[in-house]
Amino acid sequence: MSTKTLRWLGILFPVLFWASVIALRTYLAPYTTAVLEATIEVLLVAGAGALFSNWVATRFERHDAEIDQRVQQTEALRQAALALTAEVDLSQVLQRVVDLSRQLSQARYAALGVLDADGGHIEQFITSGVTPEERGTMGDPPQGHGLLGAILTERRPMRVDVIQNDPRSAGFPANHPPMKTLLGVSLISKGQILGNLYLTDKFDSTGSGPLPFTEQDQNVVEMFAAHASVAIENARLYQQNQQIAIMQERERFGMNLHDGVIQSIYAMGLLLDDAHHRADAEPALAKARIGQTVQGLNEVIRDIRAYIMGLRPQRFQGRSLAEGMDELARTFSANAGMTVDLAVDAKAAARATTHQAVELLHITQEALANIQKHANADLVHVTFVRTGGRLCLAIDDNGKGFDVFRAAASSQGHGLRNMQERVRALDGELEIESESSKGTRIMLSLPVAPRPIVNKPAAPEPAPAALVACVDTPTAHTPAENQ
Ligand SMILES: Nc1ncnc2c1ncn2[C@@H]1O[C@H](COP(=O)(O)OP(=O)(O)OP(=O)(O)O)[C@@H](O)[C@H]1O
Ligand SMILES: [Mg+2]
């Protein structure tokens, strides 16, 4: 029912009622009520009815208008919160928060003061409603004095009807647009203030100057601030993840460059050195070495091309673990003046995934290169077995040994660190034992990956054995055995 109908009914019902009373009275006691008297009575009742129904209808209208406004603001809030989820870039999110809060509160100007990590100072000041030129003439962003500082220290929402009259106000700097009314709300995430939203001069459609912000405006902006805090926190996390991903990519690049290209070039150097020494006495062998070097250099060029294209290095790709181990043992035995004794369990090697195989070959290559460069060993045992649910690799040399802790703390090299990183990424465990003038043992174990295609229910894998189980395998060699 419309309020217009309500107004008419508010007059009509009392009048009809009073007219019936007069009719009844006239019927029961004829000639006691004069026509003039009855007319006055009806008019009085009509007037009272009109006043009352108007009062009720006006209250209804006000209430309706309030509900309408709330519905509109809630819808605007929903839209604003939705719009925030569309962005992940931090600077875009911050700008959107300011623009949307201005729209939502119908403010002429809005600003967001983003706080530094300590939460004590404004680190970034993002505005809306001010043109870049106007912003340029205003000088440095505010430092958080006056009312902006008061919001920071009081840590609760603030509504000010006349900024200039507030004792906490420090006045505006030169070229600052005049502002009168203010609503300030904090953005809080996990109990920490991320920043403050400052909204000024609520727009007035009648043009009679800015309106004060209402409690309802404050409620809506506070609700929006909660959404905005989540969006800002998400955007920050996204940015951090991007940075971590870039760092990991760089690390991976460096690791592959070290273990792939640098080691290959080092091996090439040794081949050429060998060729140089044999050039006079064994020219045919020296020629063969040079041929091997050229082939190796071509492989290095292929590797570098693969890195540039962001692909994984070619080294060891497409080779099975057993083939790769064989190749490494032959190369190092032939060129490094040491015997590499290989004991690879073919069944265990077949259980390594392609990725595990490539990583294990990189690790073995680095371990052999280290023995060649630093150990002064003449015998190396490489053992690969499966123990329970783990694949175990052990590389023993009978060289001079080294101080593992000191090397980890002070070495400029990348080899051992890369080894550790590769094992960690494969969910494995690595241990290095070394004893002066006895030799070094590198042991690692990786979980056996489940078979990809299973037609019948597989027998459950035994519980992962501890690393020590690998170490104690009968095929593993201890440095003492190597003496
Ligand atoms: N089998 C080993 N025998 C003796 N010393 C070793 C052995 N393996 C490593 N080391 C010592 O540990 C140090 C660190 O090795 P790492 O592979 O990290 O670096 P690097 O070989 O010196 O340099 P890079 O690998 O970057 O070319 C070596 O400098 C060496 O002193
Ligand atoms: Mg090394």
Side-chain angles (χ1 to χ4, degrees), residues 288-310:
R289 292 274 186 269
I290 293 170
Q292 273 175 285
T293 313
V294 172
Q295 195 188 340
L297 282 173
N298 285 333
E299 267 185 35
V300 171
I301 291 170
R302 264 207 310 276
D303 272 359
I304 294 175
R305 280 197 209 287
Y307 291 135
I308 293 169
M309 290 168 71

Side-chain angles (χ1 to χ4, degrees), residues 381-448:
H381 289 288
V382 178
T383 314
F384 188 77
V385 290
R386 176 181 172 177
T387 307
R390 296 188 84 83
L391 299 174
C392 307
L393 173 69
I395 301 161
D396 303 305
D397 71 64
N398 63 350
K400 63 179 183 175
F402 71 108
D403 185 335
V404 179
F405 288 105
R406 190 183 299 168
S410 61
S411 168
Q412 300 287 312
H414 291 84
L416 295 182
R417 220 177 323 139
N418 288 354
M419 230 181 250
Q420 187 79 48
E421 186 48 38
R422 288 187 195 275
V423 173
R424 193 196 55 76
L426 290 171
D427 251 350
E429 288 181 67
L430 175 81
E431 248 178 65
I432 302 175
E433 282 172 8
S434 191
E435 208 178 321
S436 179
S437 69
K438 285 207 166 162
T440 302
R441 155 172 272 204
I442 292 175
M443 300 156 287
L444 66 93
S445 75
L446 308 178
V448 177

